[in-house]
Amino acid sequence: MQIAILGHGKEGQSAEKYFLAKNHQVEVFDNFTTDTLSSIDFSHFDLILRSPSVPPLGFDVHADDNTGYNWSSMTKYFFEHCPCPIIGVTGTKGKGTTCSMILSIFQELHKKTWLVGNIGTPAIDILDDLKPDHVVIYEMSSFQLWDLEKSPHVAVILKIEPDHLNIHKDFAEYTAAKGNIAKYQTTKDYCVYYRDNPESRRLATLSRGTKVAYPIKTDRKILDRVLNMLTIPGQHNRENAEAALTAVASFYDETIFDFIDAHENELALAMKKFQGLPHRLQFLRELNHVRYYDDNFATNVASTQVALESFRDEPIILIAGGRDKTDNADLPEIARLIKKHVTKAVLIGESGRELCKLLPEKKWVYANNLQEATFVARVEAEKIAKKQPAILLMSPAAASFDMFENVYDRGTKFQKIVQELE
């Protein structure tokens, strides 16, 4: 079989290795534009697989020319060939945390489980290792869901907010992509959704499966006994944990109450052991009565708001700024949050320069680089810490590409600076 792979990032490289090992002929296309893509003759390929970074819209720019081409994606290929049930998780933020919590729960229940997708492991890497009695937990971005035509057995729809509008043409296209996680479910499937978000509720209606809403509003006593075992901060993490518990209960065809009643000790231990993920409101250290937190995965205003609200009663020194993903449309809202929750903001990057214009002078300091920002923030935090404990939080509310390779690079460099403080 002759296979074209569009994009040669992590998933593209995994797909190339996978198909070459099966003695297929593989040709990789990389560094192309939509126009150059649409001009390529793919007629001699049996299968054309796009990476998540390649929009499916590029394929039908000249739809007449593409008639008969076997367009697909690595996610679609995995769904078509996976021999075991899939729990798919999508949303704007919290996907990785929720997926990792689901994994933690299954581990305590001694169920063979695999965690793949947007969290970092390409799904195709594990395809040949799967057995029918295994479970796959798949973190799914809008890019992986964009052209999906088969939904997971358990679909989890977290809170949906505008994001990636620099790639999607509008919010409607973004949510339509997200909706594919539920759109193709059958009556035998489950859709777990966040009840307090209108888009999550709307996307859940696309499912023909059993719909289960969270957070649960009544009879929370037994549920809270389990959630109270969490050691990571924030109401949002309690809600992510509730989504995870509900998803696993649905997998076992049980209500969350029956599920907890049968497995309370294991579930409480799963919550207690879970330490959170790197760069997601991650506690780093305490120094001179200042607690340092890395929230570098907060690349939009909604995520930073969640982080700030996790420390409602404590003074916060915030490091924020980077490349805004909304063409600066959300800067007024970021400024509002800083005025409301932050004692002093140390601003960096492109959006930081613009935020300075929206804040009172006493509220901000601009720093030219991350090391300077951390040192300035430390000084400000330790002034406060002479009277009461303080929080030094890096939660940028922006992408990283103006100053860093990616969010991992930004977060890792911040952690190194913090750990070297004396």
Side-chain angles (χ1 to χ4, degrees), residues 12 21 27 35 40 48 73 76-77 84 115 121 143 152 168 172 190 206 213 231 240 243 267 289 305 339 345 371 416:
E27 185 172 350
D35 289 337
I40 297 172
I48 306 110
S73 70
K76 289 176 73 173
Y77 185 90
C84 63
L115 176 56
T121 301
F143 307 136
H168 292 285
Y190 288 87
L206 301 175
T231 59
N240 290 335
L267 300 178
H289 307 294
Q305 179 174 355
K339 292 174 186 176
Q371 186 161 23
K416 185 175 186 294

PDB file of all heavy atoms in Angstrom, residues 12 21 27 35 40 48 73 76-77 84 115 121 143 152 168 172 190 206 213 231 240 243 267 289 305 339 345 371 416:
ATOM      1  N   GLY A  12       3.329  12.441  12.940  1.00  0.00           N
ATOM      2  CA  GLY A  12       3.754  12.069  11.599  1.00  0.00           C
ATOM      3  C   GLY A  12       4.927  11.106  11.615  1.00  0.00           C
ATOM      4  O   GLY A  12       4.976  10.136  10.849  1.00  0.00           O
ATOM      5  N   ALA A  21       7.285  -0.233   9.110  1.00  0.00           N
ATOM      6  CA  ALA A  21       7.499  -1.527   9.769  1.00  0.00           C
ATOM      7  C   ALA A  21       6.593  -2.604   9.195  1.00  0.00           C
ATOM      8  O   ALA A  21       6.886  -3.799   9.312  1.00  0.00           O
ATOM      9  CB  ALA A  21       7.276  -1.393  11.275  1.00  0.00           C
ATOM     10  N   GLU A  27       5.448   8.076   1.812  1.00  0.00           N
ATOM     11  CA  GLU A  27       6.042   9.345   1.402  1.00  0.00           C
ATOM     12  C   GLU A  27       5.548  10.434   2.355  1.00  0.00           C
ATOM     13  O   GLU A  27       4.339  10.546   2.592  1.00  0.00           O
ATOM     14  CB  GLU A  27       5.683   9.694  -0.039  1.00  0.00           C
ATOM     15  CG  GLU A  27       6.390  10.952  -0.539  1.00  0.00           C
ATOM     16  CD  GLU A  27       6.197  11.200  -2.022  1.00  0.00           C
ATOM     17  OE1 GLU A  27       5.680  10.297  -2.723  1.00  0.00           O
ATOM     18  OE2 GLU A  27       6.562  12.304  -2.478  1.00  0.00           O
ATOM     19  N   ASP A  35      -2.307  25.966  -0.343  1.00  0.00           N
ATOM     20  CA  ASP A  35      -2.263  26.075  -1.806  1.00  0.00           C
ATOM     21  C   ASP A  35      -1.379  24.996  -2.416  1.00  0.00           C
ATOM     22  O   ASP A  35      -1.764  24.350  -3.396  1.00  0.00           O
ATOM     23  CB  ASP A  35      -1.765  27.457  -2.214  1.00  0.00           C
ATOM     24  CG  ASP A  35      -2.789  28.545  -1.934  1.00  0.00           C
ATOM     25  OD1 ASP A  35      -3.986  28.206  -1.843  1.00  0.00           O
ATOM     26  OD2 ASP A  35      -2.399  29.715  -1.794  1.00  0.00           O
ATOM     27  N   ILE A  40      -0.974  19.169  -5.262  1.00  0.00           N
ATOM     28  CA  ILE A  40      -0.236  17.904  -5.346  1.00  0.00           C
ATOM     29  C   ILE A  40      -1.151  16.806  -5.891  1.00  0.00           C
ATOM     30  O   ILE A  40      -2.317  16.695  -5.517  1.00  0.00           O
ATOM     31  CB  ILE A  40       0.309  17.505  -3.962  1.00  0.00           C
ATOM     32  CG1 ILE A  40       1.307  18.541  -3.446  1.00  0.00           C
ATOM     33  CG2 ILE A  40       0.975  16.130  -4.027  1.00  0.00           C
ATOM     34  CD1 ILE A  40       1.739  18.320  -2.015  1.00  0.00           C
ATOM     35  N   ILE A  48      -4.127   8.739   2.393  1.00  0.00           N
ATOM     36  CA  ILE A  48      -3.479  10.010   2.704  1.00  0.00           C
ATOM     37  C   ILE A  48      -3.859  10.371   4.130  1.00  0.00           C
ATOM     38  O   ILE A  48      -5.041  10.569   4.435  1.00  0.00           O
ATOM     39  CB  ILE A  48      -3.893  11.131   1.746  1.00  0.00           C
ATOM     40  CG1 ILE A  48      -3.651  10.721   0.288  1.00  0.00           C
ATOM     41  CG2 ILE A  48      -3.147  12.413   2.056  1.00  0.00           C
ATOM     42  CD1 ILE A  48      -4.903  10.476  -0.486  1.00  0.00           C
ATOM     43  N   SER A  73      -6.998  10.653   8.646  1.00  0.00           N
ATOM     44  CA  SER A  73      -6.085  11.254   9.621  1.00  0.00           C
ATOM     45  C   SER A  73      -5.572  10.141  10.514  1.00  0.00           C
ATOM     46  O   SER A  73      -6.110   9.020  10.517  1.00  0.00           O
ATOM     47  CB  SER A  73      -6.797  12.310  10.479  1.00  0.00           C
ATOM     48  OG  SER A  73      -7.714  11.693  11.366  1.00  0.00           O
ATOM     49  N   LYS A  76      -8.353   9.171  12.872  1.00  0.00           N
ATOM     50  CA  LYS A  76      -9.374   8.341  12.226  1.00  0.00           C
ATOM     51  C   LYS A  76      -8.871   6.914  12.018  1.00  0.00           C
ATOM     52  O   LYS A  76      -9.600   5.949  12.253  1.00  0.00           O
ATOM     53  CB  LYS A  76      -9.777   8.956  10.887  1.00  0.00           C
ATOM     54  CG  LYS A  76     -10.597  10.226  11.007  1.00  0.00           C
ATOM     55  CD  LYS A  76     -10.882  10.844   9.647  1.00  0.00           C
ATOM     56  CE  LYS A  76     -11.904  10.044   8.867  1.00  0.00           C
ATOM     57  NZ  LYS A  76     -12.302  10.737   7.612  1.00  0.00           N
ATOM     58  N   TYR A  77      -7.634   6.788  11.573  1.00  0.00           N
ATOM     59  CA  TYR A  77      -7.070   5.454  11.339  1.00  0.00           C
ATOM     60  C   TYR A  77      -7.046   4.658  12.644  1.00  0.00           C
ATOM     61  O   TYR A  77      -7.404   3.474  12.662  1.00  0.00           O
ATOM     62  CB  TYR A  77      -5.653   5.574  10.768  1.00  0.00           C
ATOM     63  CG  TYR A  77      -5.052   4.242  10.379  1.00  0.00           C
ATOM     64  CD1 TYR A  77      -5.226   3.733   9.097  1.00  0.00           C
ATOM     65  CD2 TYR A  77      -4.330   3.477  11.304  1.00  0.00           C
ATOM     66  CE1 TYR A  77      -4.690   2.491   8.748  1.00  0.00           C
ATOM     67  CE2 TYR A  77      -3.796   2.248  10.965  1.00  0.00           C
ATOM     68  CZ  TYR A  77      -3.975   1.760   9.676  1.00  0.00           C
ATOM     69  OH  TYR A  77      -3.458   0.538   9.333  1.00  0.00           O
ATOM     70  N   CYS A  84     -10.304  -2.124  21.196  1.00  0.00           N
ATOM     71  CA  CYS A  84     -10.858  -2.032  22.555  1.00  0.00           C
ATOM     72  C   CYS A  84     -11.609  -0.711  22.741  1.00  0.00           C
ATOM     73  O   CYS A  84     -11.515   0.190  21.910  1.00  0.00           O
ATOM     74  CB  CYS A  84      -9.736  -2.176  23.586  1.00  0.00           C
ATOM     75  SG  CYS A  84      -8.501  -0.865  23.515  1.00  0.00           S
ATOM     76  N   LEU A 115      -2.870   5.632  27.847  1.00  0.00           N
ATOM     77  CA  LEU A 115      -3.159   7.069  27.750  1.00  0.00           C
ATOM     78  C   LEU A 115      -2.431   7.629  26.530  1.00  0.00           C
ATOM     79  O   LEU A 115      -1.198   7.564  26.443  1.00  0.00           O
ATOM     80  CB  LEU A 115      -2.692   7.781  29.026  1.00  0.00           C
ATOM     81  CG  LEU A 115      -2.832   9.309  29.082  1.00  0.00           C
ATOM     82  CD1 LEU A 115      -4.273   9.741  28.820  1.00  0.00           C
ATOM     83  CD2 LEU A 115      -2.353   9.841  30.430  1.00  0.00           C
ATOM     84  N   THR A 121       1.568  11.113  23.752  1.00  0.00           N
ATOM     85  CA  THR A 121       1.874   9.825  23.146  1.00  0.00           C
ATOM     86  C   THR A 121       1.001   9.619  21.916  1.00  0.00           C
ATOM     87  O   THR A 121      -0.228   9.531  22.029  1.00  0.00           O
ATOM     88  CB  THR A 121       1.625   8.671  24.130  1.00  0.00           C
ATOM     89  OG1 THR A 121       2.437   8.852  25.286  1.00  0.00           O
ATOM     90  CG2 THR A 121       1.945   7.328  23.494  1.00  0.00           C
ATOM     91  N   PHE A 143      -8.185  19.679  16.724  1.00  0.00           N
ATOM     92  CA  PHE A 143      -7.483  19.302  15.501  1.00  0.00           C
ATOM     93  C   PHE A 143      -7.571  17.799  15.248  1.00  0.00           C
ATOM     94  O   PHE A 143      -7.622  17.353  14.104  1.00  0.00           O
ATOM     95  CB  PHE A 143      -6.022  19.740  15.567  1.00  0.00           C
ATOM     96  CG  PHE A 143      -5.844  21.197  15.898  1.00  0.00           C
ATOM     97  CD1 PHE A 143      -4.895  21.601  16.816  1.00  0.00           C
ATOM     98  CD2 PHE A 143      -6.649  22.166  15.316  1.00  0.00           C
ATOM     99  CE1 PHE A 143      -4.734  22.944  17.139  1.00  0.00           C
ATOM    100  CE2 PHE A 143      -6.503  23.503  15.634  1.00  0.00           C
ATOM    101  CZ  PHE A 143      -5.545  23.895  16.547  1.00  0.00           C
ATOM    102  N   PRO A 152     -15.915   7.966  20.494  1.00  0.00           N
ATOM    103  CA  PRO A 152     -15.513   6.990  21.516  1.00  0.00           C
ATOM    104  C   PRO A 152     -16.712   6.427  22.283  1.00  0.00           C
ATOM    105  O   PRO A 152     -17.789   7.028  22.290  1.00  0.00           O
ATOM    106  CB  PRO A 152     -14.601   7.806  22.432  1.00  0.00           C
ATOM    107  CG  PRO A 152     -15.039   9.217  22.241  1.00  0.00           C
ATOM    108  CD  PRO A 152     -15.469   9.330  20.814  1.00  0.00           C
ATOM    109  N   HIS A 168      -8.726  27.857  13.606  1.00  0.00           N
ATOM    110  CA  HIS A 168     -10.118  27.733  13.165  1.00  0.00           C
ATOM    111  C   HIS A 168     -10.630  29.094  12.702  1.00  0.00           C
ATOM    112  O   HIS A 168     -10.278  30.129  13.278  1.00  0.00           O
ATOM    113  CB  HIS A 168     -10.996  27.209  14.302  1.00  0.00           C
ATOM    114  CG  HIS A 168     -10.699  25.794  14.681  1.00  0.00           C
ATOM    115  ND1 HIS A 168     -11.094  24.722  13.919  1.00  0.00           N
ATOM    116  CD2 HIS A 168     -10.032  25.269  15.739  1.00  0.00           C
ATOM    117  CE1 HIS A 168     -10.699  23.596  14.494  1.00  0.00           C
ATOM    118  NE2 HIS A 168     -10.045  23.899  15.598  1.00  0.00           N
ATOM    119  N   ALA A 172     -17.605  28.813  15.818  1.00  0.00           N
ATOM    120  CA  ALA A 172     -18.530  27.771  15.349  1.00  0.00           C
ATOM    121  C   ALA A 172     -17.767  26.593  14.756  1.00  0.00           C
ATOM    122  O   ALA A 172     -18.134  25.433  14.994  1.00  0.00           O
ATOM    123  CB  ALA A 172     -19.490  28.362  14.311  1.00  0.00           C
ATOM    124  N   TYR A 190     -21.839   6.454  26.090  1.00  0.00           N
ATOM    125  CA  TYR A 190     -22.091   7.433  27.149  1.00  0.00           C
ATOM    126  C   TYR A 190     -21.447   8.774  26.783  1.00  0.00           C
ATOM    127  O   TYR A 190     -20.342   8.818  26.241  1.00  0.00           O
ATOM    128  CB  TYR A 190     -21.496   6.974  28.485  1.00  0.00           C
ATOM    129  CG  TYR A 190     -22.236   5.838  29.138  1.00  0.00           C
ATOM    130  CD1 TYR A 190     -21.936   4.508  28.831  1.00  0.00           C
ATOM    131  CD2 TYR A 190     -23.243   6.085  30.072  1.00  0.00           C
ATOM    132  CE1 TYR A 190     -22.599   3.459  29.432  1.00  0.00           C
ATOM    133  CE2 TYR A 190     -23.924   5.045  30.681  1.00  0.00           C
ATOM    134  CZ  TYR A 190     -23.602   3.739  30.360  1.00  0.00           C
ATOM    135  OH  TYR A 190     -24.276   2.699  30.961  1.00  0.00           O
ATOM    136  N   LEU A 206     -25.776  16.178  20.715  1.00  0.00           N
ATOM    137  CA  LEU A 206     -25.457  15.486  19.465  1.00  0.00           C
ATOM    138  C   LEU A 206     -25.352  13.981  19.659  1.00  0.00           C
ATOM    139  O   LEU A 206     -25.427  13.217  18.694  1.00  0.00           O
ATOM    140  CB  LEU A 206     -24.131  16.010  18.895  1.00  0.00           C
ATOM    141  CG  LEU A 206     -24.042  17.506  18.587  1.00  0.00           C
ATOM    142  CD1 LEU A 206     -22.622  17.863  18.154  1.00  0.00           C
ATOM    143  CD2 LEU A 206     -25.048  17.895  17.517  1.00  0.00           C
ATOM    144  N   ALA A 213     -24.523  14.303  33.299  1.00  0.00           N
ATOM    145  CA  ALA A 213     -24.039  15.658  33.559  1.00  0.00           C
ATOM    146  C   ALA A 213     -23.254  15.721  34.870  1.00  0.00           C
ATOM    147  O   ALA A 213     -23.531  14.996  35.816  1.00  0.00           O
ATOM    148  CB  ALA A 213     -25.210  16.630  33.619  1.00  0.00           C
ATOM    149  N   THR A 231      -5.079  16.446  46.597  1.00  0.00           N
ATOM    150  CA  THR A 231      -4.059  17.304  47.201  1.00  0.00           C
ATOM    151  C   THR A 231      -3.717  18.502  46.315  1.00  0.00           C
ATOM    152  O   THR A 231      -3.001  19.398  46.752  1.00  0.00           O
ATOM    153  CB  THR A 231      -2.766  16.509  47.456  1.00  0.00           C
ATOM    154  OG1 THR A 231      -2.274  15.984  46.220  1.00  0.00           O
ATOM    155  CG2 THR A 231      -3.028  15.363  48.423  1.00  0.00           C
ATOM    156  N   ASN A 240     -12.675  18.517  37.456  1.00  0.00           N
ATOM    157  CA  ASN A 240     -12.015  17.552  36.577  1.00  0.00           C
ATOM    158  C   ASN A 240     -12.064  16.157  37.180  1.00  0.00           C
ATOM    159  O   ASN A 240     -12.280  15.163  36.466  1.00  0.00           O
ATOM    160  CB  ASN A 240     -10.561  17.965  36.342  1.00  0.00           C
ATOM    161  CG  ASN A 240     -10.437  19.209  35.489  1.00  0.00           C
ATOM    162  OD1 ASN A 240     -11.322  19.538  34.702  1.00  0.00           O
ATOM    163  ND2 ASN A 240      -9.316  19.912  35.628  1.00  0.00           N
ATOM    164  N   ALA A 243     -15.463  14.707  36.711  1.00  0.00           N
ATOM    165  CA  ALA A 243     -15.625  14.235  35.333  1.00  0.00           C
ATOM    166  C   ALA A 243     -14.954  12.878  35.152  1.00  0.00           C
ATOM    167  O   ALA A 243     -15.500  11.966  34.512  1.00  0.00           O
ATOM    168  CB  ALA A 243     -15.031  15.252  34.358  1.00  0.00           C
ATOM    169  N   LEU A 267     -10.891   4.531  44.967  1.00  0.00           N
ATOM    170  CA  LEU A 267     -11.059   5.844  44.337  1.00  0.00           C
ATOM    171  C   LEU A 267     -10.442   6.949  45.189  1.00  0.00           C
ATOM    172  O   LEU A 267      -9.820   7.881  44.654  1.00  0.00           O
ATOM    173  CB  LEU A 267     -12.549   6.115  44.112  1.00  0.00           C
ATOM    174  CG  LEU A 267     -13.264   5.095  43.203  1.00  0.00           C
ATOM    175  CD1 LEU A 267     -14.739   5.435  43.078  1.00  0.00           C
ATOM    176  CD2 LEU A 267     -12.609   5.023  41.834  1.00  0.00           C
ATOM    177  N   HIS A 289       8.515  32.079  52.704  1.00  0.00           N
ATOM    178  CA  HIS A 289       7.057  32.243  52.857  1.00  0.00           C
ATOM    179  C   HIS A 289       6.365  32.620  51.550  1.00  0.00           C
ATOM    180  O   HIS A 289       5.246  33.151  51.557  1.00  0.00           O
ATOM    181  CB  HIS A 289       6.733  33.282  53.933  1.00  0.00           C
ATOM    182  CG  HIS A 289       7.407  33.012  55.244  1.00  0.00           C
ATOM    183  ND1 HIS A 289       7.115  31.908  56.016  1.00  0.00           N
ATOM    184  CD2 HIS A 289       8.390  33.689  55.899  1.00  0.00           C
ATOM    185  CE1 HIS A 289       7.876  31.917  57.102  1.00  0.00           C
ATOM    186  NE2 HIS A 289       8.662  32.976  57.051  1.00  0.00           N
ATOM    187  N   GLN A 305      -7.869  32.721  34.612  1.00  0.00           N
ATOM    188  CA  GLN A 305      -8.917  33.049  35.588  1.00  0.00           C
ATOM    189  C   GLN A 305      -9.086  31.906  36.590  1.00  0.00           C
ATOM    190  O   GLN A 305      -9.181  32.138  37.801  1.00  0.00           O
ATOM    191  CB  GLN A 305     -10.241  33.315  34.874  1.00  0.00           C
ATOM    192  CG  GLN A 305     -11.373  33.640  35.851  1.00  0.00           C
ATOM    193  CD  GLN A 305     -12.656  34.050  35.137  1.00  0.00           C
ATOM    194  OE1 GLN A 305     -12.701  34.183  33.920  1.00  0.00           O
ATOM    195  NE2 GLN A 305     -13.709  34.257  35.905  1.00  0.00           N
ATOM    196  N   LYS A 339      -6.700  43.385  37.846  1.00  0.00           N
ATOM    197  CA  LYS A 339      -7.166  44.406  38.787  1.00  0.00           C
ATOM    198  C   LYS A 339      -7.915  43.784  39.960  1.00  0.00           C
ATOM    199  O   LYS A 339      -7.791  44.237  41.105  1.00  0.00           O
ATOM    200  CB  LYS A 339      -8.091  45.396  38.069  1.00  0.00           C
ATOM    201  CG  LYS A 339      -7.398  46.276  37.042  1.00  0.00           C
ATOM    202  CD  LYS A 339      -8.417  47.116  36.279  1.00  0.00           C
ATOM    203  CE  LYS A 339      -7.789  47.901  35.154  1.00  0.00           C
ATOM    204  NZ  LYS A 339      -8.789  48.647  34.357  1.00  0.00           N
ATOM    205  N   ALA A 345       1.345  42.605  38.869  1.00  0.00           N
ATOM    206  CA  ALA A 345       1.604  41.781  37.691  1.00  0.00           C
ATOM    207  C   ALA A 345       2.964  42.133  37.120  1.00  0.00           C
ATOM    208  O   ALA A 345       3.279  43.306  36.921  1.00  0.00           O
ATOM    209  CB  ALA A 345       0.523  42.000  36.642  1.00  0.00           C
ATOM    210  N   GLN A 371      13.845  35.472  33.153  1.00  0.00           N
ATOM    211  CA  GLN A 371      14.664  35.513  34.358  1.00  0.00           C
ATOM    212  C   GLN A 371      14.462  36.826  35.106  1.00  0.00           C
ATOM    213  O   GLN A 371      14.282  36.838  36.330  1.00  0.00           O
ATOM    214  CB  GLN A 371      16.146  35.336  34.007  1.00  0.00           C
ATOM    215  CG  GLN A 371      17.032  35.224  35.243  1.00  0.00           C
ATOM    216  CD  GLN A 371      18.365  34.597  34.932  1.00  0.00           C
ATOM    217  OE1 GLN A 371      18.827  34.608  33.808  1.00  0.00           O
ATOM    218  NE2 GLN A 371      19.008  34.013  35.950  1.00  0.00           N
ATOM    219  N   LYS A 416      13.306  25.939  36.161  1.00  0.00           N
ATOM    220  CA  LYS A 416      14.754  25.950  36.429  1.00  0.00           C
ATOM    221  C   LYS A 416      15.167  27.214  37.169  1.00  0.00           C
ATOM    222  O   LYS A 416      15.936  27.164  38.140  1.00  0.00           O
ATOM    223  CB  LYS A 416      15.521  25.842  35.104  1.00  0.00           C
ATOM    224  CG  LYS A 416      17.033  25.720  35.255  1.00  0.00           C
ATOM    225  CD  LYS A 416      17.688  25.490  33.905  1.00  0.00           C
ATOM    226  CE  LYS A 416      19.187  25.206  34.062  1.00  0.00           C
ATOM    227  NZ  LYS A 416      19.933  26.361  34.585  1.00  0.00           N
TER     228      LYS A 416
END
